[in-house]
Amino acid sequence: EGVQYQVEKLDLPMHKAFIKRTNVDYYTDADMQVDIKVLDVFSQRDMTGRLDMFGEVLINSLVTVFKKIKFDTHENIGWGQVHLPEMTMHTQAVWYTWPGGIPDMDTSQTGAALSGVTNLVANVAPLFLMCDPRDVAVFYQVRQPFTDAPALFVYDAVPGSIGLSEKLFHMKNDVFSQALSMLDECPCKDGCPSCIGPDAGADAKVLTRRLLLN
């Protein structure tokens, strides 16, 4: 009900969190290191320049730090270290790859474009899937080991999956089209936290749009 609490202590063996009520102008978000391993491909579709795949993946995630994000502006106003064990999860995912790379983009530009698309898809996908934003996770790799190409993953954030990524796979270009509309409706010249994310560079909006059209 909009009440804020701060975690003072986390007892993982006993599955307990010790918290206290607080009132601050920010929320915290985990900075998570994620590694995705493709275990099996169930379906794939050639979209001319882009290859869409759906299958089973293994997610290894490790939270190393937390960020303090300011309300309204989404500015990063601080951070702190976290010491938690690595988590492993089998689930299903849909991933979009560009086998020949992204035309006219070097590695840094590809990363900026993928970062922008990741932020947009993370906002748009739950609307199409009619789920909580926390039910799916979006992650990108500039060079994915399985395909040896740039890739964007959307996976069920639930062990074993609940069918969300499979549903997304069959939507083809719907999510990308809506993400492009959201990007074009943003009045900011270089993009902003509400569309391509808080870490966007000067050319990130242009690069993101080019990738969505590719």
Side-chain angles (χ1 to χ4, degrees), residues 20-195:
K20 72 173 183 180
R21 189 166 176 171
T22 186
N23 185 21
V24 293
D25 63 347
Y26 65 86
Y27 64 95
T28 57
D29 188 24
D31 191 356
M32 187 179 297
Q33 294 180 2
V34 178
D35 180 61
I36 298 180
K37 181 180 180 181
V38 176
L39 300 178
D40 197 4
V41 178
F42 301 149
S43 304
Q44 67 179 44
R45 177 177 57 238
D46 190 346
M47 298 296 291
T48 308
R50 193 186 82 217
L51 186 63
D52 299 351
M53 297 183 178
F54 164 67
E56 184 180 2
V57 295
L58 176 66
I59 310 294
N60 290 310
S61 57
L62 179 65
V63 177
T64 54
V65 300
F66 69 89
K67 298 179 290 185
K68 295 181 179 180
I69 311 297
K70 192 174 179 64
F71 287 130
D72 300 324
T73 64
H74 301 288
E75 295 174 87
N76 188 339
I77 58 174
W79 64 279
Q81 291 186 329
V82 180
H83 302 285
L84 293 173
E86 185 178 59
M87 299 180 65
T88 301
M89 177 177 68
H90 283 83
T91 187
Q92 293 179 349
V94 55
W95 59 99
Y96 312 94
T97 66
W98 290 262
I102 303 170
D104 303 320
M105 287 193 196
D106 59 25
T107 302
S108 62
Q109 290 174 325
T110 297
L114 285 169
S115 178
V117 174
T118 295
N119 196 74
L120 288 165
V121 171
N123 285 294
V124 170
L127 300 177
F128 281 87
L129 297 171
M130 294 185 292
C131 67
D132 189 287
R134 293 169 294 183
D135 291 337
V136 292
V138 189
F139 178 74
Y140 75 89
Q141 291 178 313
V142 175
R143 187 176 181 180
Q144 207 282 322
F146 181 75
T147 59
D148 197 32
L152 175 71
F153 286 81
V154 184
Y155 61 88
D156 291 37
V158 180
S161 88
I162 51 176
L164 297 175
S165 56
E166 182 178 11
K167 183 179 179 181
L168 198 64
F169 175 77
H170 294 296
M171 290 180 179
K172 296 185 179 179
N173 271 332
D174 294 349
V175 172
F176 274 36
S177 297
Q178 185 58 43
L180 181 61
S181 297
M182 181 179 175
L183 180 67
D184 289 342
E185 289 171 5
C186 178
C188 300
K189 179 182 177 181
D190 297 323
C192 62
S194 65
C195 63

